Amino acid sequence: LAALTRPYEVGGQAVTVGASVGVGLYPHDAREPGELRRCADLAMYRAKAAGKNTLRLFGEGEPAPAPAPEETRLRGALERGDLSLVYQPQFDATGRRIVAAEALLRWHDAELGPVPPARFIPLAEASGLIVPVGAWVLDGACRQLAAWRSQGWTGRVTVNVSPVQLTQPEFQEEVMRTLRRHGLRGEDLELEITEGAVLEDARAASGHLARLRGIGVRIAVDDFGMGHAALLYLLAFPVHVLKIDRTFVQGATLREHDRSLVQALVTFARALTLEIVAEGVETEEQRALMQGLGVDVVQGYLLDRPQSAGDLTPQLVGAGHVGAGGGE
């Protein structure tokens, strides 16, 4: 972590990167390689939840990496109807017009109660369940967008894609079939990937993304600015959108360093003709600053919280397209 914090220069600006580090210890936490990696994955997600740029050990007193009851419950969640989608709007920089809706997966189990994504997503990835679950999310989001289209909304839907999904041989065909099934164009869909998704298998990821871009699907890089190779990979991958991580957005009103970093990222993106989305906008001061720095789209609790499709629909197809303000 100390080594990564040393700044380097990009376009005349000093840039630093952070990391979320998870550690599993052999043989204390696990003896099998797959289980040990799962321990490290879970610890890494706890590091991210703790504010990122930090370290977490998978230590004593923490849940087992893949408790059988929880994995079993997750395996049956689709059939029981325990999974659902909520949507968080993305607004133009003024905060007045909704341009997209990000589909977010939620799991409410009858026995376990609400299970946070930071817990069940790595479990789904480690067990391979993310492939059918991801297909369900993609289909549900596209079905909902088709319904909104029939009511006159012209925005797009964005769907998060796991590294496991991205490297599946049938991923591209699955996306195309889903679009056709719901009568949508490629331009109606935006897929969000993290740098980690690219780094898992750069060659496979690049091929899938290039073909999807060829049919008009938009590609967004999530949590931009947090990855150690993000700038390098953007030059080689077919990307449309950069989502600036909330850590920098929220720090930009407090620290000159973060403000300069956001400005450098915007300048970099402009040179590549990419759209810029600022995540985690929670105050009007942050929104105004992002607009002033040249950000195209803003997303966060200031404007609206994740909500059901039914609750969001009146804003999309009614008088609205105007920010709710403070998530009210």
Side-chain angles (χ1 to χ4, degrees), residues 205-229:
S206 178
H208 282 316
L209 297 180
R211 288 187 289 273
L212 288 169
R213 176 169 177 149
I215 64 168
V217 174
R218 291 164 55 93
I219 309 299
V221 175
D222 199 10
D223 295 338
F224 184 66
M226 300 300 291
H228 65 280

Side-chain angles (χ1 to χ4, degrees), residues 201-255:
D201 187 337
R203 180 169 297 180
S206 178
H208 282 316
L209 297 180
R211 288 187 289 273
L212 288 169
R213 176 169 177 149
I215 64 168
V217 174
R218 291 164 55 93
I219 309 299
V221 175
D222 199 10
D223 295 338
F224 184 66
M226 300 300 291
H228 65 280
L231 299 177
L232 193 60
Y233 272 84
L234 278 178
L235 298 176
F237 282 82
V239 173
H240 298 83
V241 181
L242 303 184
K243 297 190 73 175
I244 299 176
D245 186 77
R246 66 181 62 242
T247 303
F248 303 120
V249 172
Q250 295 173 359
T253 57
L254 305 174
R255 296 179 292 273

